[in-house]
């Protein structure tokens, strides 16, 4: 870890003590304000206008930096610069906002140019998602679903402990948090009826997930070795894979989800980098039986990230309905990406990979 993960450091910018966006985070996103659309970071309740900072020469010593990385409506160009660039840029951003650094702190005119209150902007989808895979990597969730949809005594299908099960989703309906979602319609087959009916979904469900965004491409036909997968993962977003369970139950055999999943998949607007998440690495569950060599990882590959879901009806208070943690994932990100490419499948910058619902070890 470097100083950007050291919690003893703080920023000269006033940040609420309970903020998820301290100086140790510095995620990336796309904002729209009266100055237009551009790449930004976030600190407390402010967006950091990275295009404005580039114009003011704060990044002039970073190799490869250009205006095109920031004057755009997606992070894809920025992400394409690679892992070494991501780390160097993050360190520079941290330095500029650390409380002892005077370069920006003591320049009131420049501060007003680069800091935008969240109240004065709109957050947009952070990346152009070329492809989207949704995995099914929580053993507790897979067991719960198998119990509901099939035989409780055989909840896990025979392949589940041997490979990261997944399906190819619909990237066009990935939307940023806050986008209105219409209730889906489709075929529904009730247990006591002979034939299906066409209806609006009556069993609309959330799925608490985390998704990772890829930042490097492999050539078509070339698998990504598992010990190189870290170089391909840029960061994480929260992911609510909305699901129409009544449509899903009828359509998912034999090929899996279709209309039940493609009507709106919601991600958070800020991508948290893997560099920022380094202190939260932790050991994952024991995998039995032992995985095949191409899926074998070394070291801590899971992440200790507390997760909660609240439901807030219109004009009423929010109510917490569940708590979980990303550390419970049976199949980790590295295994998911290695499996995705083992057949020679090529991945692209900005591709998204959902974890599947993250259930924990308790009800």
């Amino acid at each position: 870890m470097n100083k950007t993960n050291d919690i003893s450091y703080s920023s000269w910018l006033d940040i609420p003590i309970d903020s998820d966006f301290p100086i140790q985070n510095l995620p990336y996103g796309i904002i729209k304000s009266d100055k237009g659309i551009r790449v930004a970071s976030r600190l407390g309740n402010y967006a950091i206008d990275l295009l404005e900072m580039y114009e003011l020469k704060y990044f002039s010593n970073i190799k490869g930096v250009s205006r095109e990385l920031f004057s755009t409506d997606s992070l894809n160009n920025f992400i394409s610069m690679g892992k070494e660039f991501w780390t160097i840029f993050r360190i520079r951003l941290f330095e500029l906002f650390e409380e002892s650094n005077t370069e920006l702190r003591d320049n009131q005119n420049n501060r007003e140019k680069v800091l935008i209150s969240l109240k004065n902007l709109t957050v947009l989808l952070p990346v152009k998602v070329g492809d989207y895979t949704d995995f099914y990597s929580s053993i507790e969730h897979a067991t719960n679903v198998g119990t509901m949809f099939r035989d409780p005594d055989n909840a896990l299908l025979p392949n589940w402990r041997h490979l990261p099960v997944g399906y190819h989703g619909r990237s066009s309906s990935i939307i940023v948090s806050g986008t209105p979602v219409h209730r889906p319609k489709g075929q529904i087959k009730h247990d006591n009826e002979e034939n299906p009916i066409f209806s609006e979904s009556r069993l609309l469900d959330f799925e608490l997930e985390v998704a990772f965004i890829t930042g490097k491409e492999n050539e078509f036909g070339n698998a990504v070795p598992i010990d190189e997968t870290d170089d391909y993962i840029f960061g994480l977003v929260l992911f609510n894979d909305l699901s129409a369970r009544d449509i899903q139950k009828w359509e998912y055999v034999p090929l899996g989800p279709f209309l039940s999943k493609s009507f709106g998949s919601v991600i958070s607007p800020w991508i948290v980098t893997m560099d920022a998440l380094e202190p939260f690495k932790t050991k994952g569950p024991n995998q039995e039986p032992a995985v095949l060599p191409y899926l074998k990882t070394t070291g801590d590959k899971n992440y200790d990230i507390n997760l909660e879901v609240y439901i807030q009806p219109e004009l009423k208070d929010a109510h917490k309905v569940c708590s979980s943690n990303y550390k419970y994932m049976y199949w980790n990100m590295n295994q998911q990406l290695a499996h995705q490419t083992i057949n020679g499948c090529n991945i692209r910058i900005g591709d998204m990979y959902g974890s599947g619902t993250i259930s924990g070890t308790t009800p």
Side-chain angles (χ1 to χ4, degrees):
M1 292 191 294
N2 57 46
K3 66 179 181 180
T4 63
N5 300 122
D6 188 338
I7 60 172
S8 67
Y9 285 92
S10 57
S11 174
W12 48 258
L13 186 66
D14 186 27
I15 300 173
I17 194 168
D18 60 346
S19 175
D20 289 324
F21 300 92
I23 194 171
Q24 291 79 14
N25 190 343
L26 297 174
Y28 298 104
I30 300 295
I31 62 169
K32 181 180 180 181
S33 69
D34 57 4
K35 295 192 290 185
I37 296 173
R38 65 267 322 273
V39 172
S41 184
R42 179 172 171 180
L43 194 53
N45 295 324
Y46 291 89
I48 304 169
D49 186 335
L50 298 183
L51 175 58
E52 195 72 63
M53 292 193 72
Y54 170 82
E55 301 285 13
L56 293 169
K57 311 296 185 185
Y58 284 109
F59 306 135
S60 57
N61 292 331
I62 299 179
K63 183 180 179 181
V65 74
S66 67
R67 193 178 194 278
E68 288 69 34
L69 300 184
F70 312 110
S71 60
T72 178
D73 63 354
S74 83
L75 285 165
N76 294 52
N77 289 342
F78 181 88
I79 294 173
S80 71
M81 297 298 291
K83 188 176 180 66
E84 183 180 358
F85 177 88
W86 309 335
T87 299
I88 292 171
F89 190 88
R90 170 181 156 74
I91 291 172
R92 174 59 175 157
L93 202 56
F94 180 95
E95 289 173 347
L96 287 166
F97 284 91
E98 194 270 317
E99 62 181 346
S100 65
N101 190 304
T102 61
E103 290 179 72
L104 183 57
R105 186 193 71 186
D106 295 348
N107 190 323
Q108 183 66 29
N109 185 55
N110 285 1
R111 285 175 55 174
E112 290 177 358
K113 289 180 179 179
V114 305
L115 292 171
I116 307 174
S117 170
L118 297 181
K119 296 180 293 185
N120 299 326
L121 57 82
T122 302
V123 287
L124 305 179
L125 194 70
V127 291
K128 285 186 168 66
V129 182
D131 279 297
Y132 154 49
T133 297
D134 195 25
F135 286 99
Y136 188 47
S137 292
S138 162
I139 194 167
E140 294 86 4
H141 174 62
T143 302
N144 291 340
V145 171
T147 299
M148 289 189 296
F149 280 9
R150 292 187 302 275
D151 176 8
D153 294 329
N154 297 284
L156 289 180
L157 291 173
N159 66 348
W160 201 92
R161 287 180 180 269
H162 292 275
L163 56 83
V165 173
Y167 71 93
H168 194 71
R170 182 78 185 171
S171 61
S172 66
S173 53
I174 294 172
I175 54 177
V176 72
S177 180
T179 304
V181 178
H182 298 278
R183 183 176 292 272
K185 299 176 182 178
Q187 289 193 26
I188 297 170
K189 169 70 167 61
H190 296 296
D191 291 340
N192 59 346
E193 298 291 339
E194 181 179 356
N195 294 311
I197 61 171
F198 176 75
S199 172
E200 289 185 334
S201 173
R202 300 297 180 90
L203 294 177
L204 193 60
D205 197 9
F206 66 87
E207 287 198 2
L208 169 59
E209 301 192 31
V210 168
F212 68 86
I213 307 296
T214 50
K216 185 177 179 180
E217 298 183 349
N218 63 316
E219 290 187 14
F220 178 66
N222 291 353
V224 177
I226 194 150
D227 58 358
E228 296 179 17
T229 48
D230 282 338
D231 294 339
Y232 288 76
I233 301 173
F234 174 67
L236 302 184
V237 291
L238 295 175
F239 181 38
N240 181 3
D241 188 24
L242 294 168
S243 301
R245 297 299 186 200
D246 39 9
I247 297 173
Q248 181 182 0
K249 186 176 181 179
W250 174 238
E251 74 176 4
Y252 90 108
V253 178
L255 292 181
F258 190 50
L259 299 184
S260 58
K261 298 277 193 171
S262 61
F263 60 93
S265 303
V266 187
I267 68 171
S268 54
W270 300 102
I271 302 178
V272 179
T273 66
M274 303 316 296
D275 281 343
L277 292 165
E278 186 72 19
F280 303 97
K281 279 187 170 181
T282 189
K283 181 178 174 58
N286 186 43
Q287 295 182 320
E288 289 290 344
V291 300
L292 291 172
Y294 81 94
L295 290 170
K296 186 172 179 57
T297 57
T298 57
D300 294 340
K301 295 299 182 183
N302 281 40
Y303 289 82
D304 185 358
I305 303 172
N306 286 320
L307 301 164
E308 295 178 328
V309 174
Y310 290 76
I311 293 179
Q312 183 170 9
E314 191 172 8
L315 305 179
K316 292 187 178 180
D317 292 336
H319 177 72
K320 185 167 75 171
V321 294
C322 73
S323 301
S324 191
N325 193 297
Y326 192 39
K327 68 184 179 182
Y328 296 128
M329 299 301 297
Y330 187 88
W331 295 103
N332 61 53
M333 287 182 283
N334 304 78
Q335 293 172 320
Q336 291 168 346
L337 192 59
H339 185 66
Q340 172 80 74
T341 67
I342 197 63
N343 65 344
C345 175
N346 53 318
I347 62 175
R348 293 181 289 188
I349 291 162
D351 285 356
M352 194 181 96
Y353 298 80
S355 61
T357 293
I358 304 168
S359 295
T361 55
T362 58

